[in-house]
Amino acid sequence: MAKNLLIVESPAKAKTIEKYLGSDFEVKSSYGHIRDLEKDDMGIDIKHNYSPRYIIPEDKQKVVKELKSVAKKAGEVWLATDEDREGEAISWHLCEVLGLDPVKTKRIVFHEITKPAIQRAVQQPRTVDMNLVDAQQARRILDRIVGFEISPVLWRKMSMRNSLSAGRVQSVAVRLIAEREREINAFEPVSSFKIEASFRALDINNKNVSFKAEGSRQKNAEDAETFLQSCVGANYKVSDIQVKPAKKSPAAPFTTSTLQQEASRKLGYSVSKTMLLAQKLYESGNITYMRTDSVNLSDTALNDIHSNISKQYGDKYLQPRKYKNKNESAQEAHEAIRPTYIENTSVDDSDTKRLYELIWKRAIASQMSDAELEKTTAKIAISTNNQELTAQGEVLKFDGFLKVYMEDKDEEDVTEEDTEGMLPALRVGQSLNLNEMQAIERFTRPAPRYTEASLVKKLEELGIGRPSTYAPTISTILKRGYVEKRDKEGILRNYRVLVLKQDTISKKTEHETTGAERAKLFPTDLGLVITDFLVEYFSDIMDYGFTAKLEDEFDEIAEGKKQWEKTVDGFYKPFKKDVEHTLQNAERIKGERELGIDEASGKKVVARMGRYGPMVQIGDVNDEEKPRFAKLKPAQSIETISFDEAMELFKLPRTLGQFENEDVTVNIGRFGPFIAHNKKFYSLNKEHDPYSITLEEAIPVIKEKRQAKEERTIKVFEKEKIQVLRGPYGPYLKVGLRNYKLTKAQQERAADLTVEEAKQIIEELKANPPKKVARKKKK
């Protein structure tokens, strides 16, 4: 009897599901999408209602051939791709390619890869939901139109060595990062003085303990000194105490977005790493589907969680809850991310262990009791000026969900209340001993730069993108070089402190490091320049509200309320006019900023985008004398570099001195900083700065690189400039910057190759270059 064929997206999922379905089913993988839009003419027939033209890519031909062969022999073909728009589209493409009727072919869906869920899905099949397919097609077609129409505009209007491109969601994400960067650059910190008094009082063990109280913030140093002066000779007495109960409630179970945010904050994972590990957990049957914007939990899951809490922590820790989505469009998946088996507190796999435990704790905590606190606020009267100080503290009375899990906060959400400590037992009328009172200068801070997690949060708040788009969006803008993720060193800043102690006021200056940031998203000069151009000429594409409105329209298509062709048509016609207008009227993108005049030559100094990136230029191409150029350092930007910093860049090349009776110079070339010595070039390591490296530091670099080259050099034909070198995959030939691979037989006798043989090998490889092997894309 012919077996049933069940097709899923990934081989890992296929293995897991095959175990549950038994001998009646053969489970095969499509390895993700099997068709994509053609590259020619966008792959879209604009004149015929935006009809897409799909092809099977070369790297999928073998997979499709195998699926066709197996499908012919199968008794019945079932489709079990993921239950989201992407998964639905893959099922439809499979129907089209395998000659299946989407109206009759059995399509099954599940949110977890467990035996009961799979068996239940097989008993309740449906057919392909064309509304979801159409929503995915509309997104794909719109994104293809934007990319294919805007990219040539950028190529025409800006000369760059890399091909430039734009994307509907990606470009908006870059704009968010660019605007935040400019807010930070334009921010002027304002100082004020925080009044902080330290007191002593007896605790419950009759021991003297110190605690802090705060007064009203003072606008400037003069006001702060006046306030401290008014406290000279004062007595301090507790005038009022208020004790109020408070509670903290647990966060909802994870959605795609909140998992990405919390994994970033708690584990330091990038968004793409989180999704890779979550996919692995899902496919191995450990968690429910990881692309979801729902916070709902199934009744079965709730029962299991409640039972686990009662058993492990006791009934007083159980508080059943049902969470509701703020986002009305959260409907593609019906459950939050949770463990499939609540009793499994961890997994054996070392790669996914930490992420799994985070998901387990969050799901369990969501059904646990509120944490109960007691907040104490004490008012302390100052006898000499009728002013008051406020001391606050909190005591945890019952830990509740905190026994398992506490959600972290983003940098911009942390408040001073989050750092409250405990107070000793105080009573109204109690006199207090002042240790000292300080007026500490504090500065306002700009909004922090985005992390991957806070960018996801912002995109979600604006309604831009959906769960499946966040990770690829961030990966794309990093890969294209419009944004970079890096650390920023802090700078030393002075701040003033006025101290009142034993009725004497003293002043001192302290130091602090400010502005240090780790793994933040910075726009590159390229990203800033292109963002400005797109905002000027494609205002709709770059508008947050417009982009979010398109997402809502995709949701309406998914619900069957709108035809996808109408959404595409409503977008394309005005967009095409913008493209034509821009090609005709827009000036070339310069990204230029004038910095001043070079005293030595009297020529203009400008920072601008060049063919190989941001640079500084002295002079103009129209001058008789050629302009001079210098590349910006990695952390420098066209928008913020000063005239003095720019002129520093022209100190290269630098002659450091002599080694072996030859000059040693340092410079920056197309491939980065390098040392030149005796007509040889040695690239500098990252730890060396070409502007400050000394001869003593350069000589070991020359020796080390020279020795490394000698160790990998088999022989050199000086006249022909052909080298026979050792590489990680065996010997090879090198001429200039080009490498030529040797066959195994040639590698074995590399040391004996003659110059004639080497030249012949090179000529043959030039005439018949080896074909590049296409790698299978991982889903």
Side-chain angles (χ1 to χ4, degrees):
M1 183 179 163
K3 282 187 177 184
N4 290 290
L5 171 64
L6 185 91
I7 303 175
V8 295
E9 283 163 285
S10 80
K13 196 196 294 187
K15 284 180 187 175
T16 313
I17 291 173
E18 200 160 43
K19 289 188 297 186
Y20 299 142
L21 287 176
S23 58
D24 288 346
F25 278 86
E26 183 177 7
V27 184
K28 289 287 181 184
S29 168
S30 70
Y31 294 87
H33 273 284
I34 58 163
R35 292 202 304 180
D36 196 8
L37 293 170
E38 283 183 3
K39 289 280 190 277
D40 296 340
D41 294 327
M42 292 194 287
I44 302 160
D45 191 342
I46 301 290
K47 292 177 182 176
H48 293 87
N49 218 13
Y50 309 97
S51 178
R53 292 192 304 274
Y54 292 107
I55 58 161
I56 300 166
E58 196 177 324
D59 63 337
K60 286 299 174 78
Q61 299 279 0
K62 189 178 175 183
V63 176
V64 170
K65 187 178 178 183
E66 186 189 348
L67 288 176
K68 280 182 175 179
S69 172
V70 181
K72 277 181 185 176
K73 299 170 191 170
E76 187 168 17
V77 179
W78 300 58
L79 304 173
T81 51
D82 292 340
E83 193 193 9
D84 57 14
R85 295 172 194 174
E86 200 82 11
E88 208 69 23
I90 292 172
S91 277
W92 176 71
H93 284 298
L94 284 165
C95 287
E96 293 285 298
V97 170
L98 301 180
L100 306 172
D101 185 349
V103 178
K104 293 177 182 175
T105 302
K106 288 178 179 174
R107 162 94 168 102
I108 64 168
V109 291
F110 38 82
H111 297 98
E112 60 188 46
I113 303 176
T114 60
K115 192 170 184 177
I118 302 300
Q119 289 177 339
R120 190 163 54 246
V122 169
Q123 288 161 12
Q124 300 169 347
R126 61 169 175 83
T127 55
V128 175
D129 185 336
M130 287 308 296
N131 291 330
L132 294 181
V133 173
D134 287 345
Q136 193 274 340
Q137 278 201 120
R139 177 190 287 280
R140 183 76 184 94
I141 288 168
L142 272 186
D143 288 345
R144 172 58 72 90
I145 287 170
V146 170
F148 269 60
E149 292 278 9
I150 294 185
S151 298
V153 175
L154 295 175
W155 304 337
R156 289 264 297 275
K157 299 300 178 182
M158 187 173 188
S159 299
M160 284 291 292
R161 63 186 172 90
N162 292 327
S163 292
L164 302 172
S165 56
R168 188 180 57 84
V169 176
Q170 295 96 313
S171 297
V172 172
V174 176
R175 182 183 181 183
L176 280 169
I177 295 163
E179 287 182 346
R180 178 63 58 88
E181 188 70 20
R182 283 169 171 158
E183 279 175 38
I184 292 166
N185 291 339
F187 185 81
E188 294 287 343
V190 177
S191 75
S192 60
F193 284 76
K194 179 184 178 183
I195 303 297
E196 198 175 85
S198 172
F199 290 101
R200 293 187 307 278
L202 295 175
D203 67 4
I204 53 173
N205 299 314
N206 224 28
K207 284 185 181 178
N208 251 319
V209 294
S210 293
F211 66 95
K212 289 180 179 176
E214 291 185 11
S216 300
R217 201 172 276 262
Q218 304 297 311
K219 286 182 181 179
N220 50 50
E222 292 75 22
D223 290 353
E225 188 171 359
T226 300
F227 179 80
L228 293 187
Q229 194 68 50
S230 72
C231 296
V232 171
N235 295 316
Y236 302 90
K237 191 178 284 186
V238 179
S239 59
D240 182 46
I241 294 176
Q242 289 188 7
V243 180
K244 290 182 179 178
K247 66 178 184 178
K248 283 182 180 173
S249 298
F254 281 130
T255 61
T256 303
S257 163
T258 54
L259 176 64
Q260 290 169 352
Q261 291 168 49
E262 196 71 340
S264 171
R265 293 186 290 237
K266 273 190 158 65
L267 308 178
Y269 290 172
S270 68
V271 167
S272 56
K273 181 177 181 178
T274 298
M275 293 312 292
L276 200 70
L277 295 177
Q279 179 100 23
K280 197 173 175 184
L281 283 169
Y282 168 65
E283 290 178 350
S284 58
N286 286 304
I287 63 168
T288 52
Y289 190 50
M290 69 288 156
R291 290 195 188 96
T292 174
D293 50 9
S294 171
V295 290
N296 184 41
L297 291 173
S298 69
D299 290 340
T300 306
L302 288 171
N303 290 336
D304 288 347
I305 292 171
H306 297 166
S307 170
N308 186 286
I309 293 168
S310 296
K311 186 177 173 183
Q312 205 164 336
Y313 306 105
D315 288 341
K316 66 177 180 177
Y317 281 92
L318 175 63
Q319 188 174 334
R321 288 180 172 84
K322 289 222 171 186
Y323 293 89
K324 286 187 178 179
N325 277 83
K326 293 175 187 174
N327 178 9
E328 290 178 9
S329 68
Q331 58 192 3
E332 285 187 44
H334 307 296
E335 208 172 352
I337 304 169
R338 62 162 176 83
T340 47
Y341 302 103
I342 297 299
E343 62 270 22
N344 294 342
T345 57
S346 189
V347 291
D348 295 331
D349 179 54
S350 57
D351 285 348
T352 55
K353 186 182 179 75
R354 293 176 72 204
L355 189 68
Y356 178 84
E357 289 173 359
L358 192 70
I359 293 167
W360 185 88
K361 287 175 182 176
R362 178 87 164 214
I364 286 281
S366 74
Q367 298 301 308
M368 290 179 75
S369 305
D370 291 335
E372 294 173 13
L373 310 164
E374 191 174 79
K375 285 204 170 191
T376 303
T377 304
K379 296 288 185 184
I380 300 163
I382 306 169
S383 64
T384 53
N385 59 15
N386 293 322
Q387 297 281 325
E388 277 187 332
L389 302 169
T390 303
Q392 290 186 316
E394 64 179 32
V395 179
L396 185 65
K397 292 291 190 180
F398 174 59
D399 54 1
F401 76 94
L402 294 177
K403 197 172 192 72
V404 173
Y405 180 87
M406 178 64 185
E407 184 180 35
D408 278 5
K409 290 190 175 185
D410 283 319
E411 195 179 333
E412 56 260 55
D413 298 329
V414 175
T415 64
E416 288 184 10
E417 284 182 19
D418 295 316
T419 56
E420 282 178 6
M422 287 177 62
L423 291 177
L426 301 172
R427 65 183 187 280
V428 175
Q430 179 179 349
S431 293
L432 297 172
N433 296 315
L434 177 72
N435 295 329
E436 66 175 21
M437 188 182 294
Q438 293 187 335
I440 307 163
E441 187 175 22
R442 286 289 172 251
F443 297 86
T444 52
R445 295 186 303 169
R449 288 177 176 88
Y450 288 107
T451 59
E452 287 194 18
S454 60
L455 179 63
V456 165
K457 186 179 177 183
K458 186 66 177 178
L459 289 168
E460 191 178 42
E461 281 173 10
L462 293 170
I464 295 166
R466 289 295 181 259
S468 61
T469 65
Y470 300 131
T473 294
I474 291 171
S475 296
T476 300
I477 62 178
L478 287 167
K479 188 178 174 184
R480 285 179 178 169
Y482 298 156
V483 171
E484 58 188 9
K485 185 162 71 169
R486 59 180 168 89
D487 301 342
K488 179 177 177 287
E489 288 184 15
I491 56 169
L492 207 61
R493 177 171 67 188
N494 295 336
Y495 65 95
R496 294 168 287 174
V497 181
L498 286 70
V499 183
L500 170 63
K501 192 166 187 175
Q502 296 176 344
D503 288 342
T504 302
I505 296 173
S506 60
K507 298 176 184 179
K508 59 182 177 178
T509 300
E510 299 278 3
H511 313 283
E512 64 183 355
T513 300
T514 182
E517 294 186 288
R518 184 176 171 274
K520 293 295 184 72
L521 298 175
F522 290 75
T524 61
D525 282 308
L526 180 61
L528 290 167
V529 166
I530 287 179
T531 296
D532 288 344
F533 180 81
L534 294 176
V535 167
E536 183 176 355
Y537 292 102
F538 297 95
S539 54
D540 278 354
I541 295 284
M542 299 297 283
D543 180 73
Y544 303 132
F546 179 81
T547 310
K549 181 175 171 287
L550 279 175
E551 296 290 353
D552 291 339
E553 290 195 35
F554 296 150
D555 292 340
E556 287 180 35
I557 297 165
E559 293 164 21
K561 295 177 181 174
K562 192 161 189 173
Q563 288 185 311
W564 71 266
E565 295 92 345
K566 285 187 177 178
T567 292
V568 174
D569 190 58
F571 170 85
Y572 181 75
K573 285 176 179 171
F575 169 69
K576 185 64 177 173
K577 285 180 183 176
D578 286 344
V579 170
E580 289 166 356
H581 170 80
T582 305
L583 281 169
Q584 289 172 14
N585 301 299
E587 293 182 3
R588 290 188 68 78
I589 306 171
K590 293 178 183 175
E592 194 171 283
R593 178 171 159 253
E594 191 171 331
L595 303 177
I597 301 295
D598 172 34
E599 284 184 18
S601 64
K603 293 179 178 179
K604 190 166 65 172
V605 180
V606 296
R608 70 175 184 86
M609 285 302 298
R611 182 174 170 78
Y612 298 106
M615 64 177 192
V616 178
Q617 176 179 320
I618 299 176
D620 192 84
V621 286
N622 299 319
D623 295 342
E624 282 184 32
E625 199 177 331
K626 275 188 175 181
R628 291 167 62 203
F629 305 101
K631 194 175 181 181
L632 264 61
K633 293 181 185 180
Q636 289 178 328
S637 168
I638 290 171
E639 297 208 350
T640 55
I641 191 170
S642 68
F643 176 80
D644 291 338
E645 288 168 338
M647 297 311 292
E648 278 285 315
L649 300 175
F650 288 94
K651 288 186 175 178
L652 296 182
R654 289 171 59 221
T655 300
L656 307 182
Q658 285 209 328
F659 171 56
E660 298 174 346
N661 298 319
E662 295 284 349
D663 282 345
V664 177
T665 59
V666 64
N667 204 349
I668 296 178
R670 183 175 167 187
F671 302 106
F674 66 89
I675 295 169
H677 175 255
N678 194 18
K679 298 180 182 177
K680 297 281 193 302
F681 302 96
Y682 307 95
S683 58
L684 272 179
N685 300 326
K686 282 184 179 178
E687 62 264 27
H688 292 120
D689 182 352
Y691 294 92
S692 60
I693 190 172
T694 62
L695 180 65
E696 290 70 26
E697 291 170 322
I699 290 170
V701 174
I702 295 170
K703 288 179 177 178
E704 181 192 325
K705 304 270 183 181
R706 188 189 281 170
Q707 186 181 347
K709 189 171 183 182
E710 284 171 5
E711 286 172 359
R712 69 190 187 98
T713 301
I714 298 171
K715 66 195 304 184
V716 178
F717 303 109
E718 291 285 354
K719 187 180 174 184
E720 292 78 6
K721 295 182 179 176
I722 299 172
Q723 301 175 74
V724 187
L725 303 174
R726 278 186 197 87
Y729 305 107
Y732 65 98
L733 299 179
K734 186 178 183 76
V735 184
L737 295 173
R738 288 197 65 180
N739 299 335
Y740 298 91
K741 191 177 178 182
L742 297 174
T743 64
K744 198 167 184 182
Q746 290 164 348
Q747 286 182 343
E748 285 171 2
R749 52 182 299 274
D752 300 322
L753 285 175
T754 65
V755 67
E756 287 76 19
E757 287 175 319
K759 285 161 85 173
Q760 187 180 346
I761 290 166
I762 290 165
E763 289 305 315
E764 285 176 1
L765 286 171
K766 279 182 177 177
N768 301 294
K771 288 182 180 178
K772 289 184 179 178
V773 179
R775 291 182 182 177
K776 284 183 181 177
K777 289 181 183 176
K778 290 181 181 177
K779 185 175 176 290

